[in-house]
Amino acid sequence: MTSESAVSDVTGITQACGTGNTNPLPQAERVTIFDTTLRDGEQSPGCSMDPRQKLKVAEALARLRVDVIEAGFPIASPGDFESVRNIAQRIEGPVIAALARCQDADIDRAAEAIRDAERGRLHVFLATSAIHREHKLGMAREEIIRRAVEGVRRARDLRDDVEFSPEDAARTEPEFLAEVVEAVIDAGATTINIPDTVGYTTPAELEALFTYVRTHVRGIDAITLSVHCHDDLGMAVANSLAAVRAGARQVECTINGIGERAGNAALEEVVMALRTRQDVFNAHTEIDTTKLCATSRLVSTITGSHVQRNKAIVGENAFSHEAGIHQHGVLKRRETYEIMRPEDVGYREGNLVLGKHSGKHAIRARIEALGYQITEDELAEVVKRFKPLADRKKEILDADLEALVLGSDPAEQGPWRLVSLATNGGTQHLQTGSVEMVRIDTGATISEASVGDGPVDAMFKAIARATGVRMTLTDFRVRSVSSGEDAQGEAWIDADVDGRRVRGRGLSTDIVEAAALACVEIVNTYTRTSERIAASQTAAEEVTA
Ligand code: KIV
Ligand code: ZN
């Protein structure tokens, strides 16, 4: 008997403790991964993304091999519509889903947004629980069924792939839920998703509800049963897995678990739990797990929503062993304390990669090794920003390179550019900040100075004076993206400008400069949007005149 099988015998687990388990067991059933990072995830406070960022996330999700990308809620705003359409036109591989309420205008708009998708899905939803029926919708049970059926029929007239979600299903009376589900299957729904909208249920309860639905709904075996859990009580992943045990064959989840309120089930946790414990769940996914860490970093960098160090699977500490006894055990045999291999999730320590003599080809090769794909133009942009950074830093680490790849283009698009800045801090004197800014399109240079509540505040005020953009800071976060004395600092600022919430990100080895660059990004985003709106109003007035 090998020592590996000895371990299996002791624990009663038939697999070799999870590590190295890459192939599905012969009887393992396929679970579809429906990623809703761009829809439910984007709804989470502070996680909004612009269309360019959404496309980057969608590309990464396609590389991760998710089965379905829920790209957005097209009726919500013209920006959402455009973004879904853009993704539907450009992303190949996954099914592209768009969300709609059971209303004609919503469904038509969603169908229009995914018109060019190679494979598209309409996802319609309507709340079914008593509390939503009475207090939100003011509809009786019969009306809910009628509207749900009409919504699904309209969607089926437009697309063959239609998902229906009875919102707040986990708090819906099971017999009514079964009635709704049966009616929408008859109307043509091809996937039925059971959401725990408010993160209220428990694994045992949800397993029982899925079993109930599976045994009480006619036609249930002809459709795909899906689960969608929120994390208000910290049970979203456990609940999703319980649903899989009871027959769910699609799991809806988000990268890093971002989402409405406490978030959704974390994709990386669901996928690795299914893979590591195939013996329990008897299921597998088609996800390329080696891309999990890179995708997690991309989403956290784009949204500014950082992953806690001890986060399962993708946290910085997920595979580091501090205790001597653990290190000793891992050195002797890694399975003593590791149930997954770090390389299987693409986990890596920050490592020295490039320096100031590195050329374009080496930079591209490293970027690709990190799991990113970039165009020639994007590479040229990275190379442009790489050189000054390499002059300031001895070592360019992977994290530095990633930060450049995901860099803040809006600041470079102008119209404003920071030429220089100086601040004066300390506890004894008034803090001051001065900046020199250039307006790229006109060449005008403006210098301004201000006092403030600290050097950063003084510098913000000086930028506001120079550009004429009045902003109120609502959030300011800084963190280091790599390690060492000359690590790059990343600053995130949220500001209220003219009643609009605008976000900026800045990156520099100097944290005050990073904050200034984030502030310039806010000024630029705001100025460009205002100028665009003003231009379209003038055009409209000219047409009317
Ligand atoms: O949480 C929820 O109920 C949803 C539905 C739209 C599926 O996000
Ligand atoms: Zn949700």
Side-chain angles (χ1 to χ4, degrees), residues 39-40 197 228 230 264:
R39 201 275 300 167
D40 224 339
T197 304
H228 174 117
H230 281 267
N264 290 59

Side-chain angles (χ1 to χ4, degrees), residues 246-290:
R249 288 295 170 260
Q250 172 178 286
V251 179
E252 303 199 353
C253 41
T254 60
I255 300 293
N256 300 334
I258 63 169
E260 189 77 26
R261 305 180 309 279
N264 290 59
L267 179 148
E268 60 280 3
E269 295 179 24
V270 170
V271 166
M272 289 313 288
L274 291 178
R275 175 177 151 137
T276 309
R277 298 308 311 272
Q278 263 194 55
D279 55 324
V280 172
F281 299 109
N282 198 21
H284 73 100
T285 73
E286 285 298 307
I287 294 294
D288 178 354
T289 63
T290 63

Side-chain angles (χ1 to χ4, degrees), residues 206-228:
L206 199 61
E207 198 169 334
L209 185 62
F210 270 75
T211 305
Y212 182 89
V213 169
R214 286 189 69 204
T215 47
H216 287 79
V217 173
R218 189 171 29 88
I220 197 80
D221 292 333
I223 56 94
T224 303
L225 198 50
S226 166
V227 64
H228 174 117

Side-chain angles (χ1 to χ4, degrees), residues 105-427:
D106 274 43
I107 297 168
D108 296 352
R109 190 85 173 135
E112 175 62 19
I114 57 165
R115 197 189 52 203
D116 298 329
E118 200 185 21
R119 293 186 298 149
R121 175 179 298 181
L122 289 171
H123 178 190
V124 292
F125 73 100
L126 182 64
T128 49
S129 65
I131 189 162
H132 280 243
R133 290 192 315 259
E134 283 159 32
H135 300 284
K136 186 177 88 174
L137 302 171
M139 289 183 198
R141 287 182 175 205
E142 301 68 43
E143 185 162 9
I144 296 283
I145 296 189
R146 185 176 61 76
R147 296 268 187 121
V149 164
E150 279 172 10
V152 168
R153 282 209 185 114
R154 189 172 187 99
R156 263 315 289 262
D157 284 344
L158 299 164
R159 271 324 298 199
D160 287 341
D161 187 347
V162 172
E163 171 167 334
F164 177 77
S165 289
E167 191 188 4
D168 205 15
R171 290 194 299 170
T172 301
E173 305 87 329
E175 65 295 347
F176 179 55
L177 181 64
E179 212 181 317
V180 176
V181 168
E182 195 166 296
V184 293
I185 293 176
D186 285 346
T190 46
T191 297
I192 298 292
N193 179 44
I194 305 292
D196 177 21
T197 304
V198 291
Y200 177 74
T201 197
T202 67
E205 259 176 24
L206 199 61
E207 198 169 334
L209 185 62
F210 270 75
T211 305
Y212 182 89
V213 169
R214 286 189 69 204
T215 47
H216 287 79
V217 173
R218 189 171 29 88
I220 197 80
D221 292 333
I223 56 94
T224 303
L225 198 50
S226 166
V227 64
H228 174 117
C229 294
H230 281 267
D231 208 31
D232 299 66
L233 291 172
M235 291 188 280
V237 170
N239 286 337
S240 306
L241 295 170
V244 169
R245 274 174 64 87
R249 288 295 170 260
Q250 172 178 286
V251 179
E252 303 199 353
C253 41
T254 60
I255 300 293
N256 300 334
I258 63 169
E260 189 77 26
R261 305 180 309 279
N264 290 59
L267 179 148
E268 60 280 3
E269 295 179 24
V270 170
V271 166
M272 289 313 288
L274 291 178
R275 175 177 151 137
T276 309
R277 298 308 311 272
Q278 263 194 55
D279 55 324
V280 172
F281 299 109
N282 198 21
H284 73 100
T285 73
E286 285 298 307
I287 294 294
D288 178 354
T289 63
T290 63
K291 304 227 161 47
L292 286 172
C293 283
T295 315
S296 157
R297 281 194 304 275
L298 180 130
V299 169
S300 89
T301 308
I302 282 182
T303 58
S305 172
H306 300 305
V307 168
Q308 87 244 26
R309 293 180 91 92
N310 63 332
K311 163 87 175 60
I313 318 294
V314 294
E316 236 173 288
N317 292 357
F319 293 92
S320 39
H321 304 274
E322 276 303 313
I325 191 166
H326 289 203
Q327 288 172 348
H328 179 70
V330 168
L331 286 176
K332 289 203 141 173
R333 187 181 163 107
R334 66 200 283 176
E335 289 89 344
T336 49
Y337 287 99
E338 271 184 13
I339 59 162
M340 294 167 276
R341 292 190 306 208
E343 58 270 32
D344 289 343
V345 300
Y347 177 90
R348 58 187 167 70
E349 310 283 345
N351 45 350
L352 170 65
V353 282
L354 301 165
K356 69 186 210 184
H357 299 298
S358 306
K360 188 171 153 182
H361 296 296
I363 295 174
R364 178 185 273 288
R366 191 63 210 161
I367 289 172
E368 285 176 355
L370 291 173
Y372 296 92
Q373 271 168 5
I374 57 170
T375 62
E376 271 306 309
D377 287 351
E378 286 167 334
L379 179 64
E381 195 56 44
V382 170
V383 172
K384 199 169 95 198
R385 285 185 278 144
F386 179 92
K387 295 293 173 192
L389 179 64
D391 281 339
R392 289 158 80 170
K393 277 194 95 204
K394 289 189 292 292
E395 305 167 340
I396 304 292
L397 305 178
D398 286 348
D400 295 316
L401 197 56
E402 263 172 345
L404 289 181
V405 172
L406 303 170
S408 44
D409 288 1
E412 269 136 36
Q413 285 167 23
W416 289 100
R417 189 165 62 76
L418 178 71
V419 180
S420 64
L421 83 108
T423 54
N424 198 347
T427 49

